[in-house]
Amino acid sequence: MKVPEKYQFIVALGKALHVYGIPSYKIQTYLTEVAELQGITGSFMDSPTWINYVFYEDENSYNYVECVPPGSLNLGAYSRIAELTNKVIDAKISNSQIHEELKNIHAKTKVVNHFKLVLAYAFSAGSFSVLIGTNLVSFLVSFLLGALVYFLVYLTSKSQYLENVFESLSALIVTIICCSITLIFPNLNLGLTILSSIIIFIPGLAITTALEEITSKSLVSGGAKLFDSIILLFKQFFGVLLGLALMTSIVEIDLTYHVSELPKWTILFAIPILSITLLPIFQVRKKDILFGVLTGVIAFFMTVLLSGYGVLVSTFIGTLVVVGISSLFSIISKTPKTVYLIQGIVMLVPGSKSFMGLSNSFFNPATTTGSVNLFEQVAFILMGIIGGLLFAGTFRDRRPKNN
């Protein structure tokens, strides 16, 4: 059934919000707010793979269901769509202009600067390796493999098959290359170099977002996203495990070797660099760059400064601070606070802890106690983030403006 013209702009707005990775409960809130202020009675449900719109009139109701693939996070598009939503709510734009604005937003997301993205992937891998402690060889290898990973990302846009197997394939290729390099450079920190090279795909943010939705009572969407995140993590883990199994049958590999030789002061440069690399990956707008980087840096240093109180307390307080800073920057820049909040949460790195816990458990059985502690840290980090978001009132604040 064709959607009546007076409802089409809400359908288009909902699809755009979904495509650019906005949490389901926020999409439902946005659409309900827009519909009410337009004098439309409607009910909306967003899930990872479809959106259900129901519009009510005196004697009739219109039900429209659209199948939409899971969205990928795009903070630049999200910021623009939030501004568009507020224009609709404030009646500053006509329904006919909404479609034109959405076309412009979609067009801007298609503009890709491959050179910037290559540098972003390379520096994110290299800077993360510095943060977790490494040596010069491992840093350089992580840097180069990060660039290689983006090349694989580019290839996925050319092949549906590569897109389907990307997580496992990229982890497999990176593992085989790292194991081969140890034959030339035996002082390579193998495990940490593999982790650093694929850190951008470790689903720490996805797991956090899924738990956020579950906490906000969006159980269907949150549960599906949590399961998808866990499967994504295991797909990457499978690629690493398969690569190690293949290489250990050919050459002798020491998975326990680890040497950290870089000066401690290099971390001071790695933290802002890692935060900066997120900007082109998430397509953050130029006007939001400075505040986004500051939020990420503050998030990291807060957890470090409070680390003496334990990972749960430090992550909880760090999340509260990030929410407060994001709200302040949102007021100053007139940008939705979620744009800054996400960049801060990413720097708390729960996904890397998950991966290291799995790695230690399976690759090095002698460190079973250590891996248990890492699993506990993962749980504490996730609880700290969700608890911080909950106590900061993030789930209550459901109005579109500055959200």
Side-chain angles (χ1 to χ4, degrees):
M1 179 181 68
K2 183 178 180 181
V3 180
E5 185 175 352
K6 61 181 177 180
Y7 302 140
Q8 289 180 3
F9 78 96
I10 294 181
V11 172
L13 186 61
K15 182 176 180 180
L17 290 167
H18 177 100
V19 167
Y20 297 122
I22 312 306
S24 293
Y25 74 92
K26 290 185 178 180
I27 295 177
Q28 292 160 189
T29 301
Y30 280 19
L31 296 181
T32 301
E33 183 82 8
V34 171
E36 288 178 353
L37 293 174
Q38 292 287 316
I40 297 172
T41 302
S43 178
F44 313 100
M45 182 175 181
D46 177 82
S47 80
T49 56
W50 54 267
I51 312 175
N52 188 11
Y53 308 82
V54 182
F55 301 99
Y56 302 99
E57 296 183 357
D58 293 336
E59 298 180 357
N60 300 312
S61 65
Y62 298 93
N63 189 353
Y64 177 74
V65 179
E66 183 170 9
C67 181
V68 186
S72 57
L73 190 62
N74 186 315
L75 295 181
Y78 170 45
S79 178
R80 294 184 178 95
I81 289 175
E83 291 177 358
L84 175 61
T85 304
N86 291 329
K87 287 181 182 179
V88 175
I89 292 174
D90 295 334
K92 293 181 179 179
I93 186 172
S94 65
N95 292 351
S96 60
Q97 292 176 302
I98 293 176
H99 294 285
E100 189 63 31
E101 289 283 343
L102 288 174
K103 285 182 181 179
N104 292 335
I105 293 173
H106 294 323
K108 289 178 180 178
T109 63
K110 303 299 182 184
V111 179
V112 178
N113 188 320
H114 295 294
F115 178 71
K116 286 184 179 179
L117 286 172
V118 168
L119 291 180
Y121 276 76
F123 277 103
S124 66
S127 58
F128 184 81
S129 69
V130 173
L131 288 180
I132 57 181
T134 191
N135 52 34
L136 183 59
V137 173
S138 300
F139 165 76
L140 293 175
V141 173
S142 299
F143 181 88
L144 295 175
L145 288 178
L148 174 63
V149 166
Y150 177 72
F151 175 71
L152 297 176
V153 172
Y154 173 75
L155 291 180
T156 60
S157 63
K158 308 296 182 181
S159 169
Q160 183 66 42
Y161 172 77
L162 290 178
E163 183 179 358
N164 292 335
V165 301
F166 169 74
E167 292 83 6
S168 297
L169 179 63
S170 59
L172 173 63
I173 292 174
V174 165
T175 302
I176 291 175
I177 292 176
C178 286
C179 291
S180 301
I181 291 176
T182 58
L183 299 177
I184 305 174
F185 300 101
N187 60 336
L188 178 74
N189 295 325
L190 181 59
L192 295 185
T193 303
I194 294 172
L195 172 63
S196 300
S197 302
I198 59 176
I199 188 60
I200 202 66
F201 303 110
I202 303 297
L205 178 60
I207 293 173
T208 304
T209 301
L211 292 175
E212 176 187 348
E213 295 202 14
I214 292 173
T215 306
S216 68
K217 305 304 180 183
S218 294
L219 302 180
V220 174
S221 177
K225 289 181 179 178
L226 178 60
F227 184 74
D228 180 65
S229 301
I230 294 173
I231 292 299
L232 177 63
L233 183 64
F234 275 94
K235 286 166 69 176
Q236 293 171 323
F237 181 68
F238 167 75
V240 175
L241 188 64
L242 178 61
L244 289 175
L246 292 174
M247 294 305 295
T248 51
S249 64
I250 302 173
V251 296
E252 184 177 348
I253 295 175
D254 183 6
L255 296 173
T256 64
Y257 180 84
H258 174 253
V259 174
S260 179
E261 297 175 340
L262 293 179
K264 297 296 183 182
W265 56 262
T266 56
I267 295 178
L268 298 177
F269 292 94
I271 294 167
I273 290 175
L274 179 59
S275 187
I276 290 171
T277 60
L278 300 176
L279 301 175
I281 294 172
F282 289 153
Q283 296 192 33
V284 176
R285 300 167 73 178
K286 291 181 180 179
K287 74 183 189 72
D288 301 324
I289 287 178
L290 177 60
F291 289 148
V293 172
L294 286 176
T295 305
V297 172
I298 291 171
F300 185 89
F301 275 114
M302 281 302 302
T303 55
V304 172
L305 291 174
L306 298 171
S307 59
Y309 296 96
V311 67
L312 178 61
V313 174
S314 63
T315 305
F316 173 71
I317 297 177
T319 303
L320 290 177
V321 171
V322 168
V323 172
I325 291 295
S326 300
S327 299
L328 175 62
F329 290 162
S330 173
I331 295 172
I332 296 173
S333 65
K334 308 300 181 183
T335 294
K337 70 181 180 185
T338 306
V339 172
Y340 307 124
L341 183 61
I342 287 175
Q343 295 179 72
I345 289 176
V346 168
M347 295 298 288
L348 300 177
V349 211
S352 64
K353 289 287 187 181
S354 305
F355 194 92
M356 284 190 285
L358 286 171
S359 300
N360 285 335
S361 177
F362 285 92
F363 300 158
N364 190 12
T367 61
T368 302
T369 303
S371 69
V372 171
N373 291 334
L374 280 169
F375 277 116
E376 290 178 355
Q377 289 182 34
V378 173
F380 287 156
I381 289 173
L382 292 173
M383 285 190 290
I385 292 173
I386 297 301
L389 294 174
L390 189 64
F391 276 82
T394 301
F395 301 141
R396 289 189 300 103
D397 187 11
R398 295 189 171 197
R399 290 184 61 84
K401 290 189 177 183
N402 295 331
N403 189 23

